[in-house]
Amino acid sequence: MSRHQLARWAFWALATAITVLSLTPVEHLPPQVFDWWDKAQHALGFALLTITARLAYPAAPGNSLWVGLLLQGAAIELAQAASGWRHGDVADWIADAVGVGIGWILLAAAQRRAQ
């Protein structure tokens, strides 16, 4: 299995896990330790998604990846709002966007160091 194939498996597994956990009823999730932890989880999850997406699909135009990830975050929030057991939150989507930005910055820094 090539590095890109492994990264694709990782990306889709992570995207699926984030989506499922985001739509799981709150009573089935561990309690939050800190008020800011929810936003940190969003940012961390989407930073990891950004990194794995770029590793999985290196030839894809950069705009399509970050736009797709932002749309995924928005779709999750809309699905939460429609679920009846979760609440969609614009602040969560902003945390997703921050995570995409952090992932992008980390990738750019790693690429500069590799050159």
Side-chain angles (χ1 to χ4, degrees):
M1 183 178 292
S2 74
R3 183 179 124 205
H4 297 300
Q5 289 172 321
L6 183 60
R8 284 185 186 126
W9 277 100
F11 169 75
W12 288 107
L14 185 59
T16 300
I18 286 172
T19 302
V20 168
L21 289 171
S22 295
L23 297 175
T24 299
V26 175
E27 58 269 5
H28 298 296
L29 298 173
Q32 289 186 18
V33 179
F34 304 107
D35 288 341
W36 55 269
W37 183 238
D38 176 55
K39 304 306 180 249
Q41 288 174 324
H42 281 265
L44 177 62
F46 275 79
L48 292 173
L49 272 178
T50 301
I51 292 167
T52 57
R54 196 67 186 154
L55 294 173
Y57 301 100
N63 291 346
S64 66
L65 291 177
W66 67 261
V67 169
L69 291 171
L70 292 178
L71 289 173
Q72 180 188 5
I76 288 171
E77 295 307 316
L78 291 172
Q80 285 180 336
S83 72
W85 58 83
R86 295 294 292 256
H87 302 284
D89 185 2
V90 172
D92 285 348
W93 182 74
I94 292 170
D96 297 343
V98 167
V100 170
I102 289 170
W104 212 261
I105 289 167
L106 290 173
L107 280 170
Q111 287 173 344
R112 278 193 300 267
R113 291 188 79 181
Q115 292 177 349

